[in-house]
Amino acid sequence: MEEYLKGHAIAHPTEVFDPDAIRVLTTAFEHAWQKLENSGVRFDRDHQSEARNILAKYIIEQARQGERDDRRLRDGALLQYARTNLGSSSRK
């Protein structure tokens, strides 16, 4: 998550998350990734990076809008991943 937050800081230098928010975002990201791994989904390196990127972008965007509940962030990120995954599967 740290690398995604650094990218966000570069893209949005006037937006800063406080340490408590960073803990919430990191927890949400780690729990979302753990749930995805525990689901049995297997990724090659490219798809793993893409999946982590989807989760992180969603969590950061929602945090930018004020969300600070790690469970809602986690669940929303997983839903976003599923939507993205279903959308890309239907285009193949």
Side-chain angles (χ1 to χ4, degrees), residues 24-40:
V24 169
L25 273 60
T26 301
T27 297
F29 177 80
E30 289 172 355
H31 288 169
W33 184 247
Q34 185 176 39
K35 279 195 165 276
L36 210 53
E37 285 186 316
N38 291 343
S39 74

Side-chain angles (χ1 to χ4, degrees), residues 21-88:
I22 291 172
R23 276 192 289 280
V24 169
L25 273 60
T26 301
T27 297
F29 177 80
E30 289 172 355
H31 288 169
W33 184 247
Q34 185 176 39
K35 279 195 165 276
L36 210 53
E37 285 186 316
N38 291 343
S39 74
V41 175
R42 297 291 174 243
F43 301 100
D44 61 30
R45 186 187 319 236
D46 291 338
H47 289 104
Q48 179 179 359
S49 178
E50 183 181 337
R52 291 175 67 87
N53 192 36
I54 290 167
L55 297 175
K57 282 184 174 182
Y58 177 88
I59 289 168
I60 290 169
E61 184 56 37
Q62 293 306 303
R64 288 179 70 205
Q65 296 176 30
E67 182 60 70
R68 294 296 187 272
D69 183 283
D70 65 318
R71 290 182 182 151
R72 281 195 294 261
L73 290 168
R74 177 202 64 204
D75 292 347
L78 290 169
L79 183 57
Q80 181 66 26
Y81 172 77
R83 287 179 179 152
T84 301
N85 197 32
L86 288 174
S88 65

